[in-house]
Every structure is written in structure tokens, then in C-alpha cells.
Amino acid sequence: MSALPWYEDVSPGRGTLPPRAWYARSDAPALSLNGDWAFRLSPTAGAEDESFAAADFDASGWETVAVPGHWVLQGKEFGGPAYTNVLYPFPVDPPRVPAENPTGDHLRRFDLPADWPAEGGAVLRLDGVESCARVWLNGTELGDFKGSRLAHEFAVGHLLKARDNVLALRVHQWSSGSYLEDQDQWWLPGVFRDVTLLHRPEGAPGDFFVHASYDHTSGTGGLRVDCDVPGRVRVPELGLDLATGESATVPVEPWSAEVPRLYEGELTAGGERIPLRIGFRSVYVEDGVLRVNGRRILFRGVNRHEFHPERGRALDIATMREDVELMKRHNINAVRTSHYPPHPAFLDLCDTYGLWVIDEGDLETHGFEELAWRGNPVDDARWTPSLLDRAARLVERDKNHPSVVLWSLGNECGTGAGLTAMAEWIRDRDPSRLVHYEGDRSCADTDVYSRMYPSHAEVEEIGRRADEGPEARSRLPFVLCEYAHAMGNGPGGLVEYQRLFETYERCQGGFVWEWIDHGLVHPAHGIGYGGDFGEELHDGSFVCDGLLFPDRTPSPGLVEYKKVIEPVRIAPGEEPGTVAVSNGHDVSDLAHLAFTWSLLADGETFAEGPLDVPALAAGQSARVALPEPPVVPDGAEAVWTVRAVLAHDTAWAPAGHEVAWGQIPATTVPAPRLRALTGAAPVPAADRITLGPGVFDARTGEPLALGALPVTGLRLDVWRAPTDNDEGAPWQPDVRYGPLWRELGLHRMRHRTDEVSAGDTLTVRSRVAPAARDFGLGVTYRWTSDGTALRLDVEVVPEGGWTVPLPRLGVRLGLPVALDRVVWYGGGPGEAYPDTRAAARLGRWESTVAGLQTPYVRPQENGARIDTRWLELSDGNEGVRIGGEPAFWFTARRWTTEQLDAAAHGPDLVPGDTLWLNLDHAQHGIGSQSCGPGVLPAYRLEAAPAAFSLAFTPLG
């Protein structure tokens, strides 16, 4: 057999310089080579020869692409993106790849700046190329490399010219490295990170390592900067002037995610001055608990792929900063860089703003799981040099970032000796941090016990240290590297997870999957997902599973997560007229916050003012007296709202930004009750029955009009367009109710009218049941009126053998589409469901019908407002007011649930000429079963007898 081409051999590459620390700037000149590059795409790896790399090659007939960028996102003629979660999109025959291997040849001509120094050397740095690259400069081959999300450098000083330099890259979409990069993401070839030419003065550092520890018992920091050449380190604020390799111990303020204290310093060596940003902190496990600077920390984290809906993984610094600021504004304190090292500038932002980071290696071989892990590279010694190269390029690049507290070997690779070799190398190189890897339950190579998507019950068992497993594992802290799958509507169950994290010291939080929906801009669908770009093999909308929509708008899931993880707890005090305030920060006291109170009467702000709360230390609680409440109107529902807001501007939010809130009843008011509506009797006439302001069909008993408003289709409704979490994941052990609901026919219920009786009341008895089944629901509608309003009392009784919970239980009706103004008193302002309701606060809210919709990339049940006392729909002149007993959910849409269910993309939903209103007595929970556990038992809507009432009053 002939030797394999370079892109198919298992080596990491050749010709590159050893990996080293990344830094944003120094006083040595640098030249960005980002911009427009000449580009030629070939269908196979060998379709074109290498003559394009010659210095005099004429590429005037080539196309142009932007670098950083992915060629498949820069024109249909360049192919398209492809999404798979687990499966490799090519035959699994390691290390071979298909002959159909799109290959992009890139050319960039450049001149050196006029002030480019004549002395010294130069380094060409490529921060990210998928999946491999072969590199030439001025006709001379420099080498090749694999490792898409890793930095690679070449020495080029001897080849540079003052003018007309030609840099040539050949990039293959597929290589042996692709087997190590099966990372649940779009496959996007190209030069997607920066390309930079760096001048290297004579004697300048090749690498340096900032060791900055903290001793919490003495309040001192230890500093030593190791460098491969002699130099000096100066930290003026600390009065330090040290030789490289020399140690010093001085009093310092430690770095943490809550107080990201950085000291500005400088390394000077060989004619180069490199700014240093030094954060002192120590990371270790003590008594089975992960501690930083002597304090137990709790990860309130997210997994973050790099993503932009137009540019893929080619992110600019402004987008990275937007991500970090959004995280901080939503109480997130930690990031796992799934599933590869991020752009290095992102870690600079984490250092500055304050985020704990699990920095993950560029490694995942998940597709081998489909083959029972046969041929898995991490257990094949031939691949170990590549694995070690990836470990080294991770650690060496990012080792000087105080935000990085754990190194992660990679993700979903099974087990193997290659992972052990990586862990041993990392520990030897950097014993100051912990090693993470989720895929080995024995935890032989890790310092934390990490899991994905365990149930609440299992988390509690692990927290109590009652789980079975290796003894060594039982002594490790427990982290959920992935939990709460944020796909579509959800995730549910966050409150219960957080309660466990705050109860059991061993349970140190987790990282929601994930930060952002990876929907790409699509000409027909608006936002596209797997299968929308012509892929034969794909995993559909599973790529859209984030807390942000693709345009970086926060989803209801992110708003809920912010509330659940808020670092200050505000709850009713044990004594009337008091509020309990608890500081849940890991480190910070409450001096940076200001507290306010407001008193709401039936949802309207009645009075407000500041609240004096002591600057509690982390972990402390206090009972705070509320002011004497002003007199509110008789019978009004009065509620205190206490808010914790930033007292001063920060880098990530202005003063007044809300960090936490709580609501406390101020008066004892009975649950909302509807008044009895009597006095008017039904009046039959031909095919109509009139009752007060209502007109009904005499045959079916359905209302036809309410005052001047036409009404259509009022009937019991149990169906919702299944959410991604309803549909569930095939590998989950819990029952997947979405498919089961459809199998049982709950999406096509049939309605039979058994009796219409017009006596003292208008009573309609009916049966609602699916075709081909012998179970159903008996329903009684009783209508009464006082002449000006209608009251509907609904009784529901299950019949037959119900084996599944209901999706929802309530009534649906159609109203004129012109009723676009929506005002309600209840939970808001956003959507909420039984297990995603923490962020819904009681108040009076207003919206348009369009504003009630949540634009999930794959349309599904959305937009329900919880705990509604009353609702008004109007067009400015006419409308209807609806009250409920008990409080109810409502949704209002310009399309039916059936149309919502049938839609695959947002543009599929075309507004009709009817406003469809659901008034729900109850909803089934949401859960996290699109990848995690299903709905907890407390939030399942079991089929059981139910009764609820609604009142309809015409407006105008």
C-alpha cells in the first residue's frame, strides 16, 4: 500500500513551531493578514497541482473570500454547511477520508509596512483553520498541520520580502483530524480565525508562563514568571521588579469571577515588551470540594460553542464581548468552551469581566460510539502524538489566563490510553489547575466527577455521597458539565437542580447546554438548521439548542435561568412585614448592590422606595423590615416587590441593572373569584339561543357572538404543538410523551355534542375523544349571565383508561383578528409553564399579539402567560375582558395550534383572519427531554376530574 497523503496520516503535522502562550499585543510590530483572499475551490484533494503556491502564480481569475471566514458561507457556488450531532458525515475508515474532499486554495499578497524592522525574525500565526492546512510563503513550503481550533505558527523571517509577498494555503475539508473533531456542530471548512504576521526581535521570548498563586490564610500572592530567555518582570502596583524565574510573595487581592482583580505588569526580554495581566488565585480540591482561594465555588454556567448566524465560527471581538456581557447580565459566572479552545481573545474577556472557565481540548470522537467504539483513536497508540499535540496546544496557548480553572481533555471520546497520556502531560505541565473529562465514569484521569444530564434524583444521590462507584470517585467534587438542554421551549426543572446544588456541598453546579442556537441565515427559511442546506445526513434542528436565539436575543429560557441562579435570594421573612435576604455569592459581599421596594395593588405600582439592606458577606443572611404598607384599595391584591440592582456602573451593565428580585404578599386576599352571573335566562329562537350578550348555536351550544364580536370554535382543547422537549430524545429512558400523544391521536380529538339544554342556565354536555381509542373526556359547559357578561363553568371528567398526561387542559376559541392590544394582570412579562415559571412576576402587563409569540427556530408551543387573573383583548374600540377562577394561562395567536404544529420554520406561520385564544386551566410541564430528563412528576398534567370558570365581558 502506498504512503498516505499528508492530510490522511495520523501525525499532527510538520514544520510548525512549538506551541506557546498567546498574548494580544506587545511593542513588537504585527501585521494582520485578515481581509479578502483569492480563492479557488476544487471538488477533490488532488484536482489541482501545487503550482498555485509559486510566487509568480496568476490568480486574477479566482474568486474572493473573506478571511476569517468559512467558504461554505460565502456563496452557493462554494458548497454548503452540514450539521451532524454524532454521526460522521463520511465513511468511518480511519484515518482515510472520502475522495470527495472539497479543497480550498487561498492566496494573499502583501507588502511589509515601511517601518517593519530589518533585524530579527518573523512568525506566521494561524489561529484556526478547518480541517487542515498546507502552507507556502513566496513559493517555499513551510509545512502542514491539523487541529482546527488550535493555533499554529511557522518561522518565516528568512523568507519575507519588503514587497509582493505571497502566502498560499491549501485547506481540505476532510482530513484524519476530522475523526478527532466530531463535536456536535456545523462542519464549516475554511480559515475562520485570524492570520497574523508577528515580528520577533532578536532574543525575544518564545514562551513564558505566569505562575500567580494565592494563599487565603495569609492574604498573599506568589508570583514567578518563567521564560525561555532571560528577562525582567515589573508589576508597579505591587512594587515588584523581578528577574524571570525569580519568585516573590506580596499582599494582593485575589482574582475571582465575582471580583476579577487584575494587576498590570510587563515582561521585558530581548528588546520586546509584553504587557501582563496577572490574576492571583489558587484552585484545588479539599475534602471532596472544589475550592478557589479557599472558598467553595458554585458554577452557574453555560456551554458555549463559537457561533454567528452569518459567519459561523468566525467571531469578531465585538461579538465575543457581547456574549460575555450578556452572560454577566444574566448572572452566569462560568463557561465551558465546548468542545474546543475558543478564540484566545475570548479568554482575555473572561479574565477582565470575571468568568470561571473550563477550557476544553479540540477533541471529540463521538461517532465511534455508533460502532461500539471500534477503532476509537483515543485508544489507538498511533494517534497518541496527535492527542498530545492537541493537549499541548490547549495548555500552552491559554496557561496565563486566571479565568481558566480546569483543563478539559475533550468531549465524548469514550475511554483510552491516549486520554490518560494527555492527562498525565497536562498535570506535569500545569499542576496548578484541575483536569476534567466526562466520558470516563471511573474518573481515573480526572480531578472532578463530571456528568451529563443526570436526573434530579441521581444528582441528590451523588450529593449525599450515596451513589455507587469507585472509591476514588466518591472523594471528588461533582459537576454537571452539561444539563438542562435548552432546545426550543425550556428547559424545565432548573429550580429543582439549583436547589440540589445549594443543598449539597459536593454538587458544585453545572453548565446548561447551551449558550446559543446555531441557526444559520437561510434565503427561504429565514433561519436554517440541519437538512436545510442539502445535506444527505443530518440531525435537523438539534443544532438549535441554546439560551439565545441566533441573533443573540435572550430566549425565555435565559430569562428563567437568570432568575434561578440569581446570587441573592429574596423571600418572605418568618415574621409578617419582613423580607429574608441571603447572599449566595461565592466571594462578594452585597456592597455593590442597592435594594428597592415597591408595593403593587392589583398589579399597579402603588408606592415605592429604597430598602436598607446590610452589606452581607458571602453566605450570610438577614431579616429586613419592610416599611409600613400604605393603605391599598379594599379588596385589592397587594404584593411587595423587592429588587437588588447594581449600585454603580460596571463594565457589563449600568447602575440600576437588576440582579435579583422577589415578591412577597402584603395582604391576605382570597384567591381570585368570579362573581356569580345570574338574572338573565337563555332565550331560544329558531337556530339560535340568546343569553345576555351571547348568541349560541342551538344545535351545538357553541357561542357565535359576544356582543358585537363574532366568536368561533369554542371547545375544550387538550392539544399543544409539541415542544422539542415533548418530542424527547430516543436515547432517553423516560417516556417520550410528544410521540405518544400523537400515536394516541390527541392531536385530532373529535367533539360530540350530547345535549344542549336551555333552562335556568345554558348547559352543553359533550364528549371529546381521539379516533380509534376507547377513552375520552366528558365535558359539561354551563353558561350563565347577568345580562351584561357571560360566565362559563367547565367540568371535565376522564372516561376510560387514560395512560398519558394531557398536553394542556382548557378551552380554545376564535375572535376577530383586529383584537391586537393585549393587557393582562398575572404572571409576566414573558412566557411561563409549570416548571419554567420562576421568572414570571405578578404585575399588569401589555403587549401586541405578535409580541406574545416566542420565535423558536423550529415552531412549537410557546407564549403562555401564567397566573392570569384577568385579560383584555381590544382593537382600541371594541374587545373583551376575561376573568378566571382559578387563575389561568392564556395564549393568543393568529394561527391555529395545528398550523403551529405543522410549521418547520418561522416563515411557515402565516397570520390568518382569526385570533385563536387558548384559556388554559392547566398545562403539562416542559422538562429537558430533548437530551435530558423528562418532566418531573409534580408537573405532569394527569388526566383527572377538573373544574374551572371563565367570565367574558364585552368592551366598548
Side-chain angles (χ1 to χ4, degrees), residues 623-643:
R623 185 189 66 202
V624 178
L626 291 163
E628 188 69 26
V631 177
V632 299
D634 288 344
E637 183 179 18
V639 175
W640 297 102
T641 299
V642 175
R643 302 169 64 236

Side-chain angles (χ1 to χ4, degrees), residues 715-718 808-812 918-922 948:
R715 56 180 53 183
L716 191 79
D717 193 14
V718 300
R808 73 182 337 137
L809 182 65
V811 296
R812 180 175 77 169
N918 276 87
L919 305 168
D920 289 321
H921 173 62
F948 57 95

Side-chain angles (χ1 to χ4, degrees), residues 104-375:
D105 292 330
H106 298 66
L107 282 179
R108 176 75 154 85
R109 293 184 177 272
F110 65 93
D111 299 332
L112 294 179
D115 58 353
W116 191 268
E119 304 80 17
V123 165
L124 174 69
R125 183 179 183 91
L126 298 106
D127 281 304
V129 181
E130 184 175 332
S131 72
C132 63
R134 191 175 174 191
V135 187
W136 295 262
L137 180 62
N138 293 330
T140 298
E141 183 173 358
L142 303 178
D144 56 69
F145 62 85
K146 308 177 189 78
S148 298
R149 267 65 67 178
L150 300 165
H152 296 84
E153 292 183 331
F154 298 92
V156 297
H158 60 295
L159 298 174
L160 287 174
K161 303 182 296 181
R163 299 185 61 80
D164 203 26
N165 293 280
V166 180
L167 177 59
L169 305 178
R170 172 158 285 178
V171 179
H172 301 298
Q173 175 156 17
W174 309 120
S175 69
S176 59
S178 301
Y179 286 100
L180 305 180
E181 296 171 6
D182 184 26
Q183 294 151 321
D184 182 13
Q185 60 180 335
W186 293 98
W187 299 89
L188 297 171
V191 184
F192 66 94
R193 287 186 186 157
D194 304 294
V195 181
T196 312
L197 185 68
L198 303 169
H199 179 254
R200 306 306 299 140
E202 292 290 345
D207 191 25
F208 61 94
F209 195 163
V210 177
H211 303 273
S213 61
Y214 180 71
D215 183 344
H216 67 278
T217 62
S218 64
T220 58
L223 179 64
R224 187 185 79 248
V225 178
D226 294 333
C227 188
D228 59 354
V229 297
R232 296 205 68 80
V233 176
R234 296 176 178 85
V235 187
E237 189 175 356
L238 297 175
L240 293 179
D241 186 344
L242 307 171
T244 52
E246 183 182 355
S247 299
T249 300
V250 291
V252 297
E253 300 171 49
W255 187 97
S256 71
E258 293 171 5
V259 186
R261 180 67 160 94
L262 293 170
Y263 291 86
E264 301 294 329
E266 185 178 77
L267 168 63
T268 305
E272 184 178 25
R273 308 171 78 89
I274 301 171
L276 303 178
R277 302 167 75 243
I278 303 167
F280 293 88
R281 54 108 187 93
S282 294
V283 185
Y284 53 93
V285 173
E286 181 180 73
D287 298 328
V289 176
L290 191 161
R291 301 183 187 277
V292 178
N293 304 332
R295 303 298 298 265
R296 172 190 184 259
I297 64 171
L298 182 61
F299 292 126
R300 301 169 169 91
V302 291
N303 286 274
R304 176 187 176 270
H305 269 297
E306 293 181 307
F307 185 74
H308 187 279
E310 295 176 292
R311 302 192 300 272
R313 283 187 289 279
L315 264 61
D316 59 9
I317 189 69
T319 301
M320 292 182 245
R321 181 176 290 108
E322 182 180 3
D323 279 347
V324 170
E325 291 179 355
L326 277 168
M327 290 176 189
K328 295 292 288 187
R329 289 199 291 268
H330 288 86
N331 293 330
I332 290 164
N333 73 352
V335 178
R336 175 180 174 228
T337 68
S338 52
H339 293 295
Y340 42 82
H343 190 292
F346 178 76
L347 297 178
D348 269 352
L349 293 168
C350 294
D351 294 343
T352 300
Y353 286 84
L355 289 168
W356 308 115
V357 175
I358 298 181
D359 200 2
E360 193 142 273
D362 192 11
L363 176 62
E364 182 170 338
T365 64
H366 201 172
F368 284 92
E369 185 177 30
E370 298 291 309
L371 309 174
W373 298 107
R374 292 190 308 275

